[in-house]
């Protein structure tokens, strides 16, 4: 995984500032390409994001964004907005320089460290500069390819490589372009810290992603030809229902299983809910037929279990499988689950938290 830092922010800022100054004479009240904001408001959004990310790191905030707001003074024109962007990106760069590698702070997409916030800052700079230039009718020049590749490597483990160059791939990954053989993105997100699990990565299905999967979309993933499976769509719907009822807890819902070697989604795995008061949670999984028999679910379950037991409040993982599902019984046994009973054609398993 690429480690990004203040130098990445500085490079992206210098590149974007040059491109934006070339169009500072145009009317920034025009709508930014593909957005509901104007070009002016898009620039303010960028400045707000840079400030928020820097504030998160500085305070190592947990659970919410630091309540700070950024805006541009009334009457600020494009030149002033570019200065605001340079100033706020500089603050983020300074916060990254002062941060320690082990620092972590909250973001709606998960707790991430300095390199994660650096990558997201670069992402904001690159794609929203693209949006502003497009709204002004100007075709932007392709950003530094290595910088785009770094953002893809750090934030988009679910996006296939090698179909197109890094910039075109990044535009597709953020719903701004097309790639041959892949559907356009209806919804997308980045992943600050996907769960590592052997030969696969586990990417959490946040409520908006889950809703897209429930409704027949891809959830922003490049699926193998026979995916996603019905079980994954059902689990996504359960996550949406939990969110709408107020029962959703980040981390304790479904995840997509992404094959590390080709970045293709091959199934889903996750929890039926957060641990209860006694520390119990239940896990389930679903793999597309073409990916079965290669041990991917075993990798995924072992990785998810390790993540789960590292969280507070969990003492026992439960799983229930059909009595005749021999492959699933084998998966659970290989991960260390123990059979506890059977009834009505279903077999129950448990995995206890490792001893300290």
């Amino acid at each position: 995984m690429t480690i990004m830092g203040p130098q990445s922010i500085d490079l992206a800022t210098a590149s974007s500032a040059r491109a934006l100054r070339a169009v500072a004479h145009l009317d920034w009240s025009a709508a930014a390409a593909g957005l509901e904001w104007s070009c002016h408001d898009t620039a303010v959004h960028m400045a707000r994001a840079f400030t928020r990310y820097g504030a998160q790191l500085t305070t190592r905030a947990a659970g919410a964004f630091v309540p700070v707001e950024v805006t541009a003074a009334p009457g600020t024109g494009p030149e002033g907005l570019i200065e605001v962007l340079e100033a706020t990106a500089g603050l983020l760069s300074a916060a990254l320089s002062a941060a320690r590698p082990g620092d972590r702070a909250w973001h709606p997409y998960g707790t991430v460290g300095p390199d994660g916030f650096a990558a997201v800052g670069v992402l904001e700079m690159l794609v929203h500069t693209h949006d502003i230039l497009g709204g002004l009718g100007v075709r932007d020049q392709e950003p530094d390819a290595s910088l785009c590749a770094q953002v893809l490597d750090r934030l988009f483990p679910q996006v296939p490589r090698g179909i197109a160059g890094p910039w075109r791939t990044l535009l597709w990954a953020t719903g701004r372009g097309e790639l041959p053989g892949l559907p356009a993105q209806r919804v997308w997100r980045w992943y600050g810290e996907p769960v590592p699990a052997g030969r696969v990565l586990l990417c959490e299905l946040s409520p908006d992603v889950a809703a897209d999967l429930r409704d027949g979309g891809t959830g922003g993933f490049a699926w193998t030809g026979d995916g996603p499976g019905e079980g994954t769509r059902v689990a996504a719907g359960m996550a949406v229902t939990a969110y709408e009822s107020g029962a959703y807890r980040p981390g304790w819902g479904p995840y997509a299983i992404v094959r590390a070697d080709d970045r293709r989604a091959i199934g889903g795995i996750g929890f039926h809910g957060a641990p209860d008061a006694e520390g119990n949670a239940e896990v389930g999984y679903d793999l597309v037929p073409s990916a079965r028999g290669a041990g991917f679910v075993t990798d995924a379950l072992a990785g998810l279990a390790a993540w789960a037991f590292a969280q507070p409040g969990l003492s026992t993982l439960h799983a229930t499988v059909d009595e005749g599902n021999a492959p699933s019984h084998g998966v659970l046994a290989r991960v260390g689950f123990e059979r506890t009973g059977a009834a009505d054609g279903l077999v129950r398993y448990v995995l206890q938290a490792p001893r300290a």
Side-chain angles (χ1 to χ4, degrees), residues 173-194:
T174 57
R176 291 170 168 82
E178 298 180 353
L179 286 181
L182 293 176
Q185 299 282 51
R186 299 195 314 193
V187 63
W188 66 273
R189 61 159 286 184
W190 52 265
Y191 294 88
E193 292 186 341

Side-chain angles (χ1 to χ4, degrees), residues 94-114:
L96 290 166
S97 295
R100 297 165 297 188
D103 287 347
R104 290 291 183 272
W106 180 88
H107 186 280
Y109 285 173
T111 301
V112 293

Side-chain angles (χ1 to χ4, degrees), residues 79-316:
E79 285 285 359
L81 288 172
I82 296 167
E83 292 180 355
V84 171
L85 289 176
E86 290 175 317
T88 52
L91 291 174
L92 174 56
S93 179
L96 290 166
S97 295
R100 297 165 297 188
D103 287 347
R104 290 291 183 272
W106 180 88
H107 186 280
Y109 285 173
T111 301
V112 293
D115 64 319
F117 280 110
V120 179
V122 172
L123 177 66
E124 295 270 2
M125 186 71 80
L126 296 182
V127 299
H128 287 317
T129 296
H130 169 83
D131 298 336
I132 292 172
L133 295 174
L136 297 174
V138 177
R139 182 176 179 179
D140 58 322
Q141 296 181 351
E142 183 172 323
D144 181 83
S146 63
L147 196 59
C148 298
Q150 290 172 36
V151 174
L152 285 168
D153 185 63
R154 182 59 186 82
L155 298 178
F156 294 94
Q158 80 282 18
V159 172
R161 311 297 198 259
I163 299 176
W167 178 230
R168 281 189 60 196
T169 302
L170 188 59
L171 289 177
W172 176 83
T174 57
R176 291 170 168 82
E178 298 180 353
L179 286 181
L182 293 176
Q185 299 282 51
R186 299 195 314 193
V187 63
W188 66 273
R189 61 159 286 184
W190 52 265
Y191 294 88
E193 292 186 341
V195 177
R199 296 165 297 157
V200 298
L201 295 166
L202 309 181
C203 296
E204 183 184 7
L205 305 183
S206 51
D208 56 339
V209 168
D212 184 65
L213 270 171
R214 177 201 61 185
D215 297 338
T218 67
F221 296 92
W223 290 87
T224 55
D226 52 347
E230 184 60 27
T232 298
R233 294 199 187 278
V234 169
M238 293 171 59
V240 175
T241 299
Y243 178 75
E244 292 172 345
S245 68
Y248 172 78
R249 275 183 56 188
W252 294 101
Y255 293 72
I257 304 173
V258 177
R259 208 159 41 200
D261 63 353
D262 64 359
R263 315 297 179 116
R264 297 282 176 166
I266 57 173
I269 190 169
F271 307 99
H272 294 181
D276 62 20
E278 287 73 42
N280 298 290
E282 186 167 4
V283 66
Y285 41 83
D286 173 50
L287 203 66
V288 300
S290 65
R292 294 173 185 169
F296 292 122
V297 169
T298 301
D299 285 359
L301 182 57
L304 190 64
W307 176 89
F309 284 122
Q311 313 308 309
L314 179 69
S315 60
T316 307

